[in-house]
Every structure is written in C-alpha cells, then in structure tokens.
Short mmCIF file of all heavy atoms in Angstrom, two decimals:
data_model
loop_
_atom_site.label_atom_id
_atom_site.label_comp_id
_atom_site.label_asym_id
_atom_site.label_seq_id
_atom_site.Cartn_x
_atom_site.Cartn_y
_atom_site.Cartn_z
N PRO E 149 -5.82 -4.52 14.62
CA PRO E 149 -5.34 -3.15 14.20
C PRO E 149 -4.02 -2.80 14.83
O PRO E 149 -3.23 -2.03 14.24
CB PRO E 149 -6.38 -2.20 14.60
CG PRO E 149 -7.64 -2.98 14.74
CD PRO E 149 -7.12 -4.32 15.13
N ALA E 150 -3.69 -3.15 16.00
CA ALA E 150 -2.45 -2.79 16.80
C ALA E 150 -1.29 -3.43 15.96
O ALA E 150 -0.13 -2.94 16.15
CB ALA E 150 -2.45 -3.24 18.11
N SER E 151 -1.46 -4.47 15.21
CA SER E 151 -0.26 -5.11 14.50
C SER E 151 0.03 -4.40 13.20
O SER E 151 0.99 -4.69 12.52
CB SER E 151 -0.58 -6.62 14.27
OG SER E 151 -1.57 -6.74 13.36
N PHE E 152 -0.80 -3.47 12.80
CA PHE E 152 -0.52 -2.76 11.47
C PHE E 152 0.57 -1.65 11.86
O PHE E 152 0.50 -0.79 12.55
CB PHE E 152 -1.81 -2.02 11.15
CG PHE E 152 -1.64 -1.11 10.04
CD1 PHE E 152 -1.63 -1.79 8.70
CD2 PHE E 152 -1.63 0.16 9.94
CE1 PHE E 152 -1.46 -0.86 7.51
CE2 PHE E 152 -1.55 0.93 8.93
CZ PHE E 152 -1.42 0.41 7.64
N LEU E 153 1.73 -1.90 11.16
CA LEU E 153 2.88 -1.01 11.19
C LEU E 153 2.80 0.16 10.19
O LEU E 153 3.25 1.36 10.45
CB LEU E 153 4.06 -1.74 11.19
CG LEU E 153 4.38 -2.69 12.35
CD1 LEU E 153 5.68 -3.48 12.11
CD2 LEU E 153 4.24 -2.17 13.70
N GLY E 154 2.53 -0.27 8.93
CA GLY E 154 2.62 0.80 7.97
C GLY E 154 2.30 0.23 6.50
O GLY E 154 2.50 -0.90 6.38
N VAL E 155 2.12 1.21 5.55
CA VAL E 155 2.13 0.94 4.10
C VAL E 155 2.98 1.88 3.55
O VAL E 155 3.00 3.11 3.79
CB VAL E 155 0.69 1.18 3.62
CG1 VAL E 155 0.70 0.88 2.08
CG2 VAL E 155 -0.31 0.08 4.32
N GLU E 156 3.84 1.41 2.56
CA GLU E 156 4.66 2.34 1.74
C GLU E 156 4.56 1.76 0.32
O GLU E 156 4.41 0.69 0.04
CB GLU E 156 6.00 2.46 2.27
CG GLU E 156 6.85 1.16 2.37
CD GLU E 156 8.22 1.44 3.12
OE1 GLU E 156 8.38 2.55 3.50
OE2 GLU E 156 8.78 0.47 3.22
N SER E 157 5.01 2.63 -0.63
CA SER E 157 5.20 2.19 -2.05
C SER E 157 6.37 2.84 -2.46
O SER E 157 7.01 3.80 -1.99
CB SER E 157 3.87 2.66 -2.82
OG SER E 157 4.01 4.06 -3.18
N PHE E 158 6.83 2.20 -3.65
CA PHE E 158 8.01 2.68 -4.44
C PHE E 158 7.88 2.37 -5.87
O PHE E 158 7.08 1.53 -6.21
CB PHE E 158 9.29 2.03 -3.83
CG PHE E 158 9.22 0.63 -3.75
CD1 PHE E 158 9.62 -0.26 -4.70
CD2 PHE E 158 8.76 -0.05 -2.67
CE1 PHE E 158 9.65 -1.55 -4.67
CE2 PHE E 158 8.67 -1.45 -2.46
CZ PHE E 158 9.14 -2.22 -3.62
N GLU E 159 8.46 3.24 -6.60
CA GLU E 159 8.47 3.02 -8.05
C GLU E 159 9.06 1.54 -8.45
O GLU E 159 10.09 1.40 -7.74
CB GLU E 159 9.06 4.13 -8.83
CG GLU E 159 8.45 5.43 -8.86
CD GLU E 159 9.17 6.51 -9.52
OE1 GLU E 159 9.17 6.40 -10.88
OE2 GLU E 159 9.88 7.34 -9.09
N THR E 160 8.51 0.94 -9.35
CA THR E 160 9.20 -0.42 -9.81
C THR E 160 10.18 -0.06 -10.73
O THR E 160 9.95 0.32 -12.01
CB THR E 160 8.05 -1.28 -10.42
OG1 THR E 160 6.86 -1.37 -9.49
CG2 THR E 160 8.49 -2.56 -10.69
N PRO E 161 11.44 -0.36 -10.40
CA PRO E 161 12.57 0.16 -11.23
C PRO E 161 12.66 -0.51 -12.73
O PRO E 161 13.01 0.21 -13.58
CB PRO E 161 13.85 -0.38 -10.43
CG PRO E 161 13.29 -0.56 -9.09
CD PRO E 161 11.97 -0.88 -9.21
N ALA E 162 12.17 -1.69 -12.82
CA ALA E 162 12.27 -2.31 -14.07
C ALA E 162 11.36 -1.71 -15.18
O ALA E 162 11.75 -1.62 -16.40
CB ALA E 162 11.82 -3.81 -13.97
N SER E 163 10.21 -1.08 -14.76
CA SER E 163 9.42 -0.47 -15.78
C SER E 163 9.08 1.03 -15.59
O SER E 163 8.38 1.64 -16.31
CB SER E 163 8.17 -1.19 -15.83
OG SER E 163 7.51 -1.23 -14.43
N CYS E 164 9.52 1.61 -14.45
CA CYS E 164 9.21 3.03 -14.19
C CYS E 164 10.22 3.87 -13.89
O CYS E 164 9.99 5.06 -13.45
CB CYS E 164 8.09 2.95 -13.07
SG CYS E 164 6.55 2.34 -13.59
N GLY E 165 11.49 3.61 -13.68
CA GLY E 165 12.54 4.48 -13.45
C GLY E 165 13.11 4.29 -12.04
O GLY E 165 13.00 3.24 -11.47
N ALA E 166 13.69 5.40 -11.46
CA ALA E 166 14.30 5.32 -10.16
C ALA E 166 13.46 4.90 -8.97
O ALA E 166 12.24 5.14 -9.15
CB ALA E 166 14.93 6.73 -9.95
N VAL E 167 14.05 4.43 -8.02
CA VAL E 167 13.30 3.98 -6.74
C VAL E 167 13.28 5.19 -5.84
O VAL E 167 14.11 5.89 -5.67
CB VAL E 167 14.13 2.83 -6.10
CG1 VAL E 167 13.44 2.66 -4.73
CG2 VAL E 167 14.24 1.64 -6.98
N GLY E 168 12.08 5.46 -5.35
CA GLY E 168 11.77 6.50 -4.47
C GLY E 168 10.63 6.11 -3.43
O GLY E 168 9.51 6.06 -3.85
N ALA E 169 11.01 5.87 -2.20
CA ALA E 169 10.07 5.34 -1.22
C ALA E 169 9.21 6.51 -0.76
O ALA E 169 9.49 7.67 -0.71
CB ALA E 169 10.70 4.80 -0.09
N MET E 170 7.89 6.27 -0.43
CA MET E 170 6.92 7.27 -0.01
C MET E 170 5.88 6.68 0.86
O MET E 170 5.32 5.46 0.55
CB MET E 170 6.32 7.92 -1.24
CG MET E 170 5.23 9.04 -0.87
SD MET E 170 4.66 9.76 -2.31
CE MET E 170 3.59 10.95 -1.54
N MET E 171 5.71 7.14 2.02
CA MET E 171 4.71 6.71 2.86
C MET E 171 3.33 7.02 2.30
O MET E 171 3.15 8.14 1.79
CB MET E 171 4.83 7.28 4.27
CG MET E 171 6.05 6.80 5.13
SD MET E 171 6.11 5.04 5.33
CE MET E 171 4.77 4.74 6.35
N GLU E 172 2.48 6.06 2.50
CA GLU E 172 1.04 6.24 1.82
C GLU E 172 0.19 6.82 2.90
O GLU E 172 0.35 6.78 3.98
CB GLU E 172 0.56 4.91 1.31
CG GLU E 172 1.47 4.38 0.20
CD GLU E 172 1.70 5.27 -0.85
OE1 GLU E 172 0.78 6.21 -1.22
OE2 GLU E 172 2.69 5.15 -1.59
N VAL E 173 -0.99 7.37 2.33
CA VAL E 173 -1.92 8.11 3.07
C VAL E 173 -3.26 7.37 3.05
O VAL E 173 -3.64 6.92 1.95
CB VAL E 173 -2.16 9.52 2.70
CG1 VAL E 173 -3.22 10.25 3.41
CG2 VAL E 173 -0.82 10.25 2.72
N ALA E 174 -4.00 7.16 4.13
CA ALA E 174 -5.21 6.47 4.20
C ALA E 174 -6.25 7.46 3.49
O ALA E 174 -6.23 8.72 3.80
CB ALA E 174 -5.65 6.10 5.54
N ALA E 175 -7.21 6.85 2.85
CA ALA E 175 -8.32 7.75 2.13
C ALA E 175 -9.29 8.05 3.18
O ALA E 175 -9.76 7.13 4.02
CB ALA E 175 -8.75 6.96 1.01
N GLY E 176 -9.71 9.30 3.45
CA GLY E 176 -10.78 9.68 4.35
C GLY E 176 -10.31 9.40 5.81
O GLY E 176 -9.20 9.40 6.17
N THR E 177 -11.24 9.05 6.60
CA THR E 177 -10.95 8.84 7.93
C THR E 177 -10.97 7.31 8.26
O THR E 177 -10.79 6.86 9.37
CB THR E 177 -12.03 9.47 8.91
OG1 THR E 177 -13.31 9.05 8.51
CG2 THR E 177 -11.93 10.96 8.75
N SER E 178 -11.22 6.41 7.20
CA SER E 178 -11.33 5.00 7.49
C SER E 178 -10.11 4.30 7.77
O SER E 178 -10.05 3.54 8.68
CB SER E 178 -12.10 4.31 6.23
OG SER E 178 -11.33 4.50 5.21
N GLY E 179 -9.01 4.66 7.05
CA GLY E 179 -7.67 3.90 7.23
C GLY E 179 -8.02 2.39 7.19
O GLY E 179 -8.47 1.87 6.30
N LEU E 180 -7.37 1.72 8.10
CA LEU E 180 -7.47 0.23 8.07
C LEU E 180 -8.72 -0.12 8.88
O LEU E 180 -9.09 0.42 9.86
CB LEU E 180 -6.24 -0.27 8.94
CG LEU E 180 -6.08 -1.84 8.98
CD1 LEU E 180 -5.82 -2.34 7.73
CD2 LEU E 180 -5.04 -2.16 10.12
N GLN E 181 -9.48 -1.11 8.10
CA GLN E 181 -10.63 -1.57 8.75
C GLN E 181 -10.77 -3.06 8.70
O GLN E 181 -10.34 -3.62 7.74
CB GLN E 181 -11.91 -1.02 7.76
CG GLN E 181 -12.18 0.46 7.82
CD GLN E 181 -13.31 0.76 6.89
OE1 GLN E 181 -13.83 -0.07 6.03
NE2 GLN E 181 -13.73 1.96 6.92
N TYR E 182 -11.26 -3.67 9.78
CA TYR E 182 -11.52 -5.00 9.80
C TYR E 182 -12.90 -5.39 9.37
O TYR E 182 -13.81 -4.89 9.82
CB TYR E 182 -11.43 -5.54 11.36
CG TYR E 182 -11.44 -7.07 11.42
CD1 TYR E 182 -10.59 -7.93 10.84
CD2 TYR E 182 -12.45 -7.61 12.10
CE1 TYR E 182 -10.66 -9.23 10.87
CE2 TYR E 182 -12.63 -9.06 12.15
CZ TYR E 182 -11.78 -9.81 11.48
OH TYR E 182 -11.95 -11.14 11.56
N LEU E 183 -12.97 -6.19 8.26
CA LEU E 183 -14.23 -6.47 7.69
C LEU E 183 -14.90 -7.75 8.23
O LEU E 183 -16.03 -8.02 7.87
CB LEU E 183 -14.00 -6.55 6.22
CG LEU E 183 -13.46 -5.37 5.39
CD1 LEU E 183 -13.24 -5.70 3.87
CD2 LEU E 183 -14.26 -4.21 5.67
N GLY E 184 -14.15 -8.48 9.07
CA GLY E 184 -14.63 -9.68 9.55
C GLY E 184 -14.14 -10.97 8.95
O GLY E 184 -13.53 -10.87 7.76
N ASP E 185 -14.23 -12.07 9.40
CA ASP E 185 -13.81 -13.41 8.87
C ASP E 185 -12.30 -13.20 8.33
O ASP E 185 -11.96 -13.96 7.39
CB ASP E 185 -14.71 -13.75 7.68
CG ASP E 185 -16.14 -14.13 8.07
OD1 ASP E 185 -16.18 -14.72 9.24
OD2 ASP E 185 -17.02 -13.90 7.36
N GLY E 186 -11.45 -12.60 9.09
CA GLY E 186 -10.07 -12.55 8.69
C GLY E 186 -9.80 -11.51 7.45
O GLY E 186 -8.63 -11.46 7.17
N TYR E 187 -10.71 -10.70 7.06
CA TYR E 187 -10.51 -9.84 6.04
C TYR E 187 -10.33 -8.43 6.56
O TYR E 187 -11.10 -7.91 7.31
CB TYR E 187 -11.57 -9.85 5.05
CG TYR E 187 -11.78 -11.22 4.22
CD1 TYR E 187 -12.63 -12.11 4.72
CD2 TYR E 187 -11.00 -11.39 3.03
CE1 TYR E 187 -12.68 -13.32 4.04
CE2 TYR E 187 -11.07 -12.55 2.44
CZ TYR E 187 -11.98 -13.58 2.93
OH TYR E 187 -11.94 -14.72 2.19
N TRP E 188 -9.32 -7.71 5.92
CA TRP E 188 -9.05 -6.25 6.26
C TRP E 188 -9.08 -5.39 4.93
O TRP E 188 -8.97 -6.03 3.85
CB TRP E 188 -7.64 -6.22 6.76
CG TRP E 188 -7.51 -6.81 8.16
CD1 TRP E 188 -7.23 -8.18 8.37
CD2 TRP E 188 -7.69 -6.19 9.42
NE1 TRP E 188 -7.24 -8.48 9.77
CE2 TRP E 188 -7.39 -7.31 10.30
CE3 TRP E 188 -7.88 -5.14 9.85
CZ2 TRP E 188 -7.50 -7.09 11.71
CZ3 TRP E 188 -7.88 -4.76 11.18
CH2 TRP E 188 -7.68 -5.65 12.14
N GLN E 189 -9.42 -4.09 5.22
CA GLN E 189 -9.36 -3.14 4.06
C GLN E 189 -8.69 -2.01 4.41
O GLN E 189 -8.78 -1.43 5.57
CB GLN E 189 -10.74 -2.87 3.78
CG GLN E 189 -10.97 -1.78 2.64
CD GLN E 189 -12.37 -1.47 2.36
OE1 GLN E 189 -13.14 -2.48 1.99
NE2 GLN E 189 -12.80 -0.27 2.31
N PHE E 190 -7.75 -1.54 3.55
CA PHE E 190 -6.97 -0.23 3.69
C PHE E 190 -7.33 0.62 2.52
O PHE E 190 -7.01 0.29 1.31
CB PHE E 190 -5.45 -0.39 3.81
CG PHE E 190 -4.75 0.81 4.02
CD1 PHE E 190 -4.70 1.40 5.33
CD2 PHE E 190 -4.05 1.31 3.03
CE1 PHE E 190 -3.97 2.63 5.46
CE2 PHE E 190 -3.40 2.51 3.21
CZ PHE E 190 -3.21 3.19 4.46
N ASN E 191 -8.10 1.73 2.63
CA ASN E 191 -8.34 2.70 1.62
C ASN E 191 -7.08 3.57 1.28
O ASN E 191 -6.69 4.24 2.16
CB ASN E 191 -9.65 3.47 1.91
CG ASN E 191 -10.82 2.66 2.07
OD1 ASN E 191 -10.98 1.73 1.45
ND2 ASN E 191 -11.66 3.03 2.95
N TRP E 192 -6.59 3.38 0.07
CA TRP E 192 -5.30 4.02 -0.26
C TRP E 192 -5.62 5.08 -1.18
O TRP E 192 -6.14 5.13 -2.29
CB TRP E 192 -4.49 3.06 -0.99
CG TRP E 192 -3.17 3.38 -1.36
CD1 TRP E 192 -2.33 4.31 -0.93
CD2 TRP E 192 -2.31 2.61 -2.44
NE1 TRP E 192 -1.13 4.36 -1.50
CE2 TRP E 192 -1.15 3.37 -2.51
CE3 TRP E 192 -2.56 1.67 -3.23
CZ2 TRP E 192 -0.10 3.05 -3.30
CZ3 TRP E 192 -1.49 1.32 -4.20
CH2 TRP E 192 -0.34 2.00 -4.15
N LYS E 193 -5.24 6.42 -0.66
CA LYS E 193 -5.38 7.59 -1.50
C LYS E 193 -4.03 7.90 -2.19
O LYS E 193 -3.08 8.10 -1.48
CB LYS E 193 -5.83 8.84 -0.62
CG LYS E 193 -5.95 10.04 -1.31
CD LYS E 193 -6.33 11.17 -0.46
CE LYS E 193 -6.59 12.42 -1.26
NZ LYS E 193 -7.16 13.58 -0.51
N THR E 194 -4.03 7.80 -3.48
CA THR E 194 -2.87 7.98 -4.19
C THR E 194 -2.74 9.53 -4.77
O THR E 194 -3.71 10.01 -5.22
CB THR E 194 -2.72 7.02 -5.34
OG1 THR E 194 -3.89 7.21 -6.14
CG2 THR E 194 -2.66 5.60 -4.83
N PRO E 195 -1.59 9.92 -4.78
CA PRO E 195 -1.33 11.28 -5.28
C PRO E 195 -1.49 11.31 -6.81
O PRO E 195 -1.13 10.29 -7.47
CB PRO E 195 0.15 11.70 -4.97
CG PRO E 195 0.62 10.55 -3.93
CD PRO E 195 -0.29 9.43 -4.12
N LYS E 196 -1.85 12.42 -7.32
CA LYS E 196 -2.07 12.44 -8.83
C LYS E 196 -0.65 12.32 -9.54
O LYS E 196 -0.60 11.95 -10.77
CB LYS E 196 -2.64 13.84 -9.22
CG LYS E 196 -4.16 13.88 -8.82
CD LYS E 196 -4.72 15.07 -9.21
CE LYS E 196 -6.13 15.11 -8.63
NZ LYS E 196 -7.09 16.10 -9.27
N SER E 197 0.43 12.55 -8.82
CA SER E 197 1.69 12.51 -9.34
C SER E 197 2.12 11.01 -9.77
O SER E 197 3.10 10.80 -10.36
CB SER E 197 2.83 13.01 -8.39
OG SER E 197 2.86 12.21 -7.20
N TYR E 198 1.26 9.99 -9.36
CA TYR E 198 1.54 8.58 -9.76
C TYR E 198 1.18 8.25 -11.00
O TYR E 198 1.33 7.33 -11.60
CB TYR E 198 0.80 7.63 -8.70
CG TYR E 198 1.35 7.60 -7.40
CD1 TYR E 198 2.44 8.29 -6.93
CD2 TYR E 198 0.93 6.63 -6.42
CE1 TYR E 198 3.02 8.20 -5.61
CE2 TYR E 198 1.47 6.47 -5.20
CZ TYR E 198 2.43 7.27 -4.75
OH TYR E 198 3.02 7.08 -3.53
N SER E 199 0.44 9.23 -11.77
CA SER E 199 -0.08 9.09 -13.14
C SER E 199 1.15 8.49 -14.05
O SER E 199 2.15 9.24 -14.01
CB SER E 199 -0.66 10.30 -13.65
OG SER E 199 -1.10 10.13 -14.94
N GLY E 200 0.88 7.46 -14.71
CA GLY E 200 1.89 6.93 -15.62
C GLY E 200 2.98 6.08 -14.99
O GLY E 200 3.90 5.56 -15.66
N GLU E 201 2.89 5.82 -13.61
CA GLU E 201 3.93 5.04 -12.89
C GLU E 201 3.43 3.60 -12.72
O GLU E 201 2.26 3.40 -12.65
CB GLU E 201 4.26 5.63 -11.61
CG GLU E 201 4.96 6.98 -11.75
CD GLU E 201 5.30 7.55 -10.27
OE1 GLU E 201 4.91 6.99 -9.25
OE2 GLU E 201 6.08 8.56 -10.27
N CYS E 202 4.47 2.78 -12.43
CA CYS E 202 4.16 1.37 -12.01
C CYS E 202 4.80 1.55 -10.57
O CYS E 202 5.92 1.96 -10.35
CB CYS E 202 4.82 0.45 -12.80
SG CYS E 202 4.36 0.20 -14.52
N ARG E 203 4.01 0.98 -9.61
CA ARG E 203 4.54 1.04 -8.12
C ARG E 203 4.24 -0.17 -7.46
O ARG E 203 3.34 -1.04 -7.85
CB ARG E 203 3.75 2.18 -7.34
CG ARG E 203 4.09 3.62 -8.02
CD ARG E 203 3.53 4.68 -7.22
NE ARG E 203 4.32 4.85 -5.92
CZ ARG E 203 5.48 5.65 -5.95
NH1 ARG E 203 5.86 6.16 -7.05
NH2 ARG E 203 6.03 5.82 -4.78
N THR E 204 5.04 -0.54 -6.51
CA THR E 204 4.88 -1.76 -5.68
C THR E 204 4.49 -1.22 -4.27
O THR E 204 5.08 -0.35 -3.69
CB THR E 204 6.15 -2.58 -5.62
OG1 THR E 204 6.45 -3.01 -6.91
CG2 THR E 204 6.03 -3.79 -4.73
N MET E 205 3.40 -1.69 -3.63
CA MET E 205 2.90 -1.34 -2.32
C MET E 205 3.45 -2.51 -1.44
O MET E 205 3.43 -3.71 -1.69
CB MET E 205 1.47 -1.32 -2.19
CG MET E 205 0.95 -1.10 -0.82
SD MET E 205 -0.79 -1.45 -0.75
CE MET E 205 -1.44 0.23 -0.79
N SER E 206 3.95 -2.05 -0.34
CA SER E 206 4.31 -3.10 0.81
C SER E 206 3.70 -2.83 2.00
O SER E 206 3.52 -1.55 2.64
CB SER E 206 6.05 -2.78 0.94
OG SER E 206 6.40 -3.50 2.12
N LEU E 207 3.17 -3.90 2.54
CA LEU E 207 2.36 -3.88 3.88
C LEU E 207 3.13 -4.45 4.90
O LEU E 207 3.77 -5.54 4.88
CB LEU E 207 1.09 -4.54 3.70
CG LEU E 207 0.24 -4.88 4.98
CD1 LEU E 207 -0.24 -3.58 5.50
CD2 LEU E 207 -0.89 -5.89 4.76
N ASP E 208 3.44 -3.72 6.10
CA ASP E 208 4.23 -4.18 7.14
C ASP E 208 3.21 -4.33 8.41
O ASP E 208 2.53 -3.38 8.81
CB ASP E 208 5.24 -3.13 7.56
CG ASP E 208 6.20 -2.83 6.44
OD1 ASP E 208 6.68 -3.89 5.77
OD2 ASP E 208 6.61 -1.72 6.31
N LEU E 209 3.26 -5.67 8.83
CA LEU E 209 2.53 -5.89 10.14
C LEU E 209 3.58 -6.44 11.13
O LEU E 209 4.56 -6.95 10.84
CB LEU E 209 1.59 -6.98 9.77
CG LEU E 209 0.47 -6.73 8.83
CD1 LEU E 209 -0.41 -7.94 8.42
CD2 LEU E 209 -0.37 -5.57 9.28
N ASP E 210 3.12 -6.38 12.43
CA ASP E 210 4.02 -6.84 13.54
C ASP E 210 3.91 -8.31 13.80
O ASP E 210 3.57 -8.72 14.89
CB ASP E 210 3.58 -5.94 14.82
CG ASP E 210 4.57 -6.23 15.89
OD1 ASP E 210 5.73 -6.55 15.57
OD2 ASP E 210 4.12 -5.94 17.06
N ASP E 211 4.09 -9.15 12.73
CA ASP E 211 4.04 -10.52 12.91
C ASP E 211 5.26 -11.24 12.40
O ASP E 211 5.33 -12.52 12.22
CB ASP E 211 2.81 -11.00 12.24
CG ASP E 211 2.78 -10.92 10.62
OD1 ASP E 211 3.81 -10.30 10.14
OD2 ASP E 211 1.85 -11.19 10.03
N GLY E 212 6.31 -10.56 11.87
CA GLY E 212 7.50 -11.10 11.44
C GLY E 212 7.51 -11.61 10.06
O GLY E 212 8.54 -12.09 9.51
N VAL E 213 6.41 -11.55 9.42
CA VAL E 213 6.26 -12.03 7.98
C VAL E 213 6.72 -10.80 7.17
O VAL E 213 6.33 -9.65 7.35
CB VAL E 213 4.87 -12.32 7.59
CG1 VAL E 213 4.67 -12.68 6.07
CG2 VAL E 213 4.37 -13.56 8.46
N THR E 214 7.54 -11.14 6.20
CA THR E 214 8.01 -10.13 5.25
C THR E 214 7.52 -10.34 3.80
O THR E 214 6.99 -11.43 3.63
CB THR E 214 9.60 -10.08 5.09
OG1 THR E 214 10.08 -11.34 4.76
CG2 THR E 214 10.07 -9.83 6.49
N ASN E 215 7.76 -9.45 2.97
CA ASN E 215 7.44 -9.53 1.56
C ASN E 215 5.83 -9.50 1.13
O ASN E 215 5.37 -10.41 0.31
CB ASN E 215 8.11 -10.79 0.90
CG ASN E 215 9.36 -10.41 0.02
OD1 ASN E 215 9.43 -9.25 -0.19
ND2 ASN E 215 9.96 -11.33 -0.48
N ARG E 216 5.12 -8.71 1.93
CA ARG E 216 3.73 -8.67 1.56
C ARG E 216 3.74 -7.56 0.58
O ARG E 216 3.67 -6.29 0.97
CB ARG E 216 2.85 -8.28 2.64
CG ARG E 216 2.56 -9.43 3.65
CD ARG E 216 1.54 -8.94 4.61
NE ARG E 216 1.22 -10.05 5.62
CZ ARG E 216 1.82 -10.13 6.72
NH1 ARG E 216 2.74 -9.28 7.17
NH2 ARG E 216 1.55 -11.10 7.58
N THR E 217 3.51 -7.72 -0.76
CA THR E 217 3.59 -6.67 -1.71
C THR E 217 2.54 -6.95 -2.67
O THR E 217 2.08 -8.06 -2.96
CB THR E 217 4.91 -6.64 -2.43
OG1 THR E 217 5.24 -7.90 -3.08
CG2 THR E 217 6.14 -6.28 -1.47
N ALA E 218 2.16 -5.79 -3.41
CA ALA E 218 1.27 -5.86 -4.66
C ALA E 218 1.85 -4.85 -5.65
O ALA E 218 2.13 -3.84 -5.22
CB ALA E 218 -0.13 -5.61 -4.12
N ASP E 219 1.67 -5.16 -6.87
CA ASP E 219 2.15 -4.23 -7.90
C ASP E 219 0.92 -3.49 -8.58
O ASP E 219 -0.20 -4.16 -8.80
CB ASP E 219 2.88 -5.06 -9.01
CG ASP E 219 4.15 -5.53 -8.53
OD1 ASP E 219 4.80 -4.88 -7.70
OD2 ASP E 219 4.50 -6.63 -8.92
N PHE E 220 1.14 -2.21 -8.84
CA PHE E 220 0.00 -1.45 -9.44
C PHE E 220 0.58 -0.61 -10.65
O PHE E 220 1.66 -0.21 -10.59
CB PHE E 220 -0.53 -0.43 -8.46
CG PHE E 220 -1.22 -1.08 -7.18
CD1 PHE E 220 -0.47 -1.49 -6.13
CD2 PHE E 220 -2.48 -1.34 -7.18
CE1 PHE E 220 -1.15 -2.09 -5.07
CE2 PHE E 220 -3.24 -1.92 -6.24
CZ PHE E 220 -2.46 -2.38 -5.00
N GLU E 221 -0.26 -0.49 -11.63
CA GLU E 221 0.12 0.42 -12.77
C GLU E 221 -0.89 1.49 -12.85
O GLU E 221 -2.02 1.21 -12.99
CB GLU E 221 0.15 -0.36 -14.07
CG GLU E 221 0.47 0.51 -15.24
CD GLU E 221 0.49 -0.31 -16.56
OE1 GLU E 221 0.47 -1.54 -16.53
OE2 GLU E 221 0.57 0.39 -17.63
N PHE E 222 -0.52 2.77 -12.63
CA PHE E 222 -1.33 3.92 -12.69
C PHE E 222 -1.52 4.56 -14.04
O PHE E 222 -0.48 4.68 -14.76
CB PHE E 222 -0.83 4.93 -11.63
CG PHE E 222 -1.01 4.47 -10.26
CD1 PHE E 222 0.06 3.78 -9.61
CD2 PHE E 222 -2.03 4.67 -9.53
CE1 PHE E 222 -0.09 3.32 -8.40
CE2 PHE E 222 -2.27 4.18 -8.28
CZ PHE E 222 -1.05 3.52 -7.68
N LYS E 223 -2.77 4.85 -14.46
CA LYS E 223 -3.01 5.34 -15.87
C LYS E 223 -2.85 6.76 -15.80
O LYS E 223 -3.12 7.43 -14.85
CB LYS E 223 -4.28 4.86 -16.36
CG LYS E 223 -4.43 3.41 -16.49
CD LYS E 223 -3.55 2.81 -17.70
CE LYS E 223 -3.70 1.34 -17.65
NZ LYS E 223 -2.85 0.76 -18.69
#
C-alpha cells in the first residue's frame, strides 16, 4: 500500500470533449485493499457529473512504471 501514489481521471478528448484532470475519491472507507495473490482493489466513487462522459483512469504507483490506464464510458 505504501507504493500507491494516486488515481486520477480525465475526459477522453477524442470522444468526450475537453481534457480536465480530477483527483478521484475512494468509495467508503475501504480505499485501496490488498486481496491476496498479487491482486488489489480500489473502490472508485464517481461523481454524478460523469454521466454521459468517456474517461480514462490513470493509476500511479511508486515503481517507475508509467501508462497504467483504463477507459470507461459512463451512461
């Protein structure tokens, strides 16, 4: 858990408009959890304002690896 630096998301310009970075909020009190066997879980509470947007989430860890991203489409 000490290597977890942060999670942020931004609108995907090609399909959703302008880029606007926003730090994300953990859902409830769980935040980042180690599930065992090398698996982690981060409960992501998204604002209602994401409705209709496409966003890319970026995960930052303190290991020098870059480009950990996932794309999401919010209904």
Side-chain angles (χ1 to χ4, degrees):
S151 66
F152 178 75
L153 299 179
V155 173
E156 58 185 359
S157 76
F158 51 91
E159 289 182 74
T160 307
S163 58
C164 292
V167 174
M170 179 174 184
M171 290 302 294
E172 298 304 334
V173 178
T177 58
S178 62
L180 183 67
Q181 295 178 349
Y182 183 63
L183 303 177
D185 293 326
Y187 292 96
W188 293 85
Q189 175 177 309
F190 182 77
N191 294 327
W192 184 21
K193 181 177 181 176
T194 58
K196 291 182 183 197
S197 63
Y198 285 7
S199 179
E201 291 185 353
C202 298
R203 299 188 73 83
T204 299
M205 173 194 261
S206 174
L207 170 67
D208 297 318
L209 301 174
D210 189 20
D211 63 357
V213 176
T214 59
N215 253 356
R216 283 189 185 95
T217 61
D219 296 323
F220 296 88
E221 181 177 352
F222 294 90
K223 301 289 180 181

